Amino acid sequence: MPSNACSTYKEVIIVGNGPSAISLSVFLSGYRPYFAGGTHSNVYLNEKLQKMNPKKSIVEQDLSFLSEGLEGRSPNPVALLFDALRRPDADLGVDNPSLLEWKFEKEHAVDHLVLGKGKAGGAWQNMDGAMQTLSFANWMELPTLNFREWQHSHHRDENHAHNGRATIADVRKYYSDFVEKRGLGPYFRDQHVVTSVQKKYHSNKGVDSESGEVEPCKCRNKNHSFLWEVRGYHFHGDGDQDREEFCYCTPNVVIATGTFDVPNKLCIHGENLPYVYHSLQEVEHVLSHNRKKKSQDPVVIVGAGLSAADAIIMALKMKRPVVHVFRRGANDSQLIFKKLPAAIYPEYHNIHSMMKGKTINPLYKPYPNHSLVELKEDNHVLIQTTSGGDIVSLDAFCVAILIGACPDLSFLPYDGRNLGVVPRCAIDSKHNPIHVDPFSYQCFAESGLYSMGPLVGDNFVRFGMGGSLGISNHLLRIKNKHAQ
């Protein structure tokens, strides 16, 4: 395709194909939630629900009014509202029935595409299937398809899911099946890598948001003074010669890529050596492919989060010695393990107990208040106390640096740095999420550009879907305005 050709128009382009994106595709394909009746324990929300016109979908309601005063584990009020309706009182440990009923109304379908680097399900498709979810199994489900009913119909062994949690294998299969069962296949484009999202104007009066140059748009829409041009490529074979470019024009782009694209690094000498890894998937691969290779040298694991804990569990299962390096003290109140109930997450509390020295495993040695300072070509590793004290030297079988990750927004103008709560700083789900309107999920910095999921601070699947409701509601209001 010539670089200046852009002939395909869509009403909405969603970049990313994880659970948040799948959820939005459900709404845009024509599925709509209605209040099914019943009583909510939140008196103020219940009063609003009872007075609501039941013949109108939740998508048509005043979300600002309905979500006012709601509190919970999401910074976004519409996410709290959608969760309160789908799973009333879930945070109290109960499994109440949903207050929503879903109807498929084809006349409300919106022409859209979901562009993902891999299979539908996003990052979940790359995780170790034997691991368990952090959230309860039913919190992983998408609108219109009950997760437990899906498990039963597929004869999945529910004994594999402990303490109400699900295995990653079940979750990723569920997400793939969901797209097929709900007829969303025509909207999904797997193996599609987006390389550029730029604003293009209809006339020579327009100015490109990235270069400052005039950029007239080939596609036209009478209701919009500009369109977003989404470019990238996809592979339809095994070799690079099978790579094909694509280009779409759209008035609405939704960024739903998640935050696991680029692993964080320590930026120390030797970090790019071949025995050093930065993702759990890489660690799993090297350990499983070297099961028969005997070595007394430990797997050095850096980090004190859940990915580091998963790597430790994985290595110990394979009888590999582990050296665990982490900067905080083992009793630090900020450690994630302190926030997880022991009865539900016994494997993580066992790791935490070993970190504190309360549980002894001859294959595990913790180094609290230590940092990795240098990695040498001969697999020699140097560790030092965070106070700058003595240096510990050891040989490593491999090194896993698992200290979090950040999103890859290089396809956006300015790498998306103009979109954050703190402008000109890199986007970070915890400290600098994309700044969106709390009800429409539209970016404050750019009209027609939306974001949802972890990029706006909703790191749990159950809350990441709130953006589906907010975005659908806003798109409907825009459509109604243009129709007047």
Side-chain angles (χ1 to χ4, degrees), residues 135-200:
S135 298
F136 292 123
N138 61 326
W139 292 2
M140 309 303 297
E141 69 187 26
L142 297 165
T144 76
L145 182 60
N146 184 281
F147 186 82
R148 289 200 185 98
E149 290 177 6
W150 172 88
Q151 279 185 312
H152 181 72
S153 67
H154 284 72
H155 307 289
R156 311 295 282 196
D157 184 359
E158 293 197 46
N159 290 328
H160 289 170
H162 303 287
N163 305 307
R165 294 153 67 193
T167 63
I168 300 297
D170 272 11
V171 171
R172 65 191 187 197
K173 183 72 168 64
Y174 167 80
Y175 290 151
S176 296
D177 281 3
F178 184 93
V179 171
E180 181 181 349
K181 283 181 175 292
R182 289 296 173 261
L184 303 180
Y187 301 112
F188 276 70
R189 299 291 184 271
D190 297 347
Q191 316 302 327
H192 276 55
V193 179
V194 174
T195 57
S196 172
V197 173
Q198 292 192 32
K199 186 182 286 184
K200 303 290 180 177

Side-chain angles (χ1 to χ4, degrees), residues 280 283-284 287-288 291 297-301 308-324 347-355 359-366 397-398:
L280 197 59
V283 177
E284 178 189 11
L287 291 180
S288 60
R291 283 178 181 270
D297 293 336
V299 177
V300 177
I301 297 173
D310 288 332
I312 294 168
I313 293 169
M314 196 181 298
L316 293 179
K317 270 186 181 177
M318 298 182 187
K319 307 299 181 185
R320 292 280 185 186
V322 171
V323 164
H324 186 196
E347 74 277 31
Y348 292 132
H349 276 266
N350 182 53
I351 296 295
H352 191 208
S353 182
M354 290 194 297
M355 290 167 66
T359 299
I360 304 299
N361 186 320
L363 291 175
Y364 173 88
K365 184 172 179 56
F397 174 72
C398 69

Side-chain angles (χ1 to χ4, degrees), residues 220-394:
R220 292 188 177 276
N221 185 299
K222 64 180 181 179
N223 293 323
H224 303 279
S225 61
F226 70 88
L227 295 173
W228 293 98
E229 181 187 81
V230 181
R231 290 185 177 272
Y233 61 86
H234 70 95
F235 294 102
H236 51 83
D238 296 328
D240 288 345
Q241 67 271 18
D242 296 319
R243 173 171 145 166
E244 187 175 301
E245 294 184 2
F246 63 80
C247 180
Y248 298 101
C249 281
T250 178
N252 305 294
V253 172
V254 181
I255 309 300
T257 55
T259 57
F260 296 102
D261 295 308
V262 183
N264 293 333
K265 293 192 174 184
L266 294 171
C267 299
I268 60 174
H269 180 75
E271 193 166 0
N272 294 322
L273 288 170
Y275 68 93
V276 182
Y277 306 97
H278 292 85
S279 74
L280 197 59
Q281 293 75 31
E282 292 175 320
V283 177
E284 178 189 11
H285 179 82
V286 73
L287 291 180
S288 60
H289 281 72
N290 288 278
R291 283 178 181 270
K292 296 180 180 180
K293 186 177 179 181
K294 294 183 178 180
S295 174
Q296 295 303 312
D297 293 336
V299 177
V300 177
I301 297 173
V302 182
L306 298 181
S307 292
D310 288 332
I312 294 168
I313 293 169
M314 196 181 298
L316 293 179
K317 270 186 181 177
M318 298 182 187
K319 307 299 181 185
R320 292 280 185 186
V322 171
V323 164
H324 186 196
V325 182
F326 48 102
R327 292 181 179 178
R328 296 182 184 274
N331 289 303
D332 192 296
S333 61
Q334 296 302 309
L335 289 177
I336 183 65
F337 311 108
K338 292 231 175 216
K339 303 172 184 177
L340 302 176
I344 301 174
Y345 306 96
E347 74 277 31
Y348 292 132
H349 276 266
N350 182 53
I351 296 295
H352 191 208
S353 182
M354 290 194 297
M355 290 167 66
K356 293 186 290 186
K358 288 187 175 181
T359 299
I360 304 299
N361 186 320
L363 291 175
Y364 173 88
K365 184 172 179 56
Y367 280 90
N369 302 118
H370 276 70
S371 297
L372 201 59
V373 292
E374 188 176 352
L375 299 157
K376 299 188 176 182
E377 291 186 11
D378 58 357
N379 286 47
H380 205 59
V381 174
L382 301 182
I383 302 166
Q384 187 178 32
T385 60
T386 51
S387 60
D390 295 339
I391 290 179
V392 177
S393 175
L394 54 90

Side-chain angles (χ1 to χ4, degrees), residues 77-123:
V78 175
L80 294 173
L81 171 65
F82 194 38
D83 186 70
L85 296 175
R86 291 182 68 212
R87 277 175 293 269
D89 301 320
D91 284 331
L92 299 179
V94 295
D95 189 13
N96 289 330
S98 172
L99 295 178
L100 298 176
E101 63 175 337
W102 292 82
K103 299 178 181 179
F104 181 65
E105 300 170 345
K106 191 175 181 179
E107 66 273 19
H108 293 302
V110 177
D111 189 22
H112 70 283
L113 280 181
V114 183
L115 308 178
K117 293 179 181 178
K119 295 179 181 179

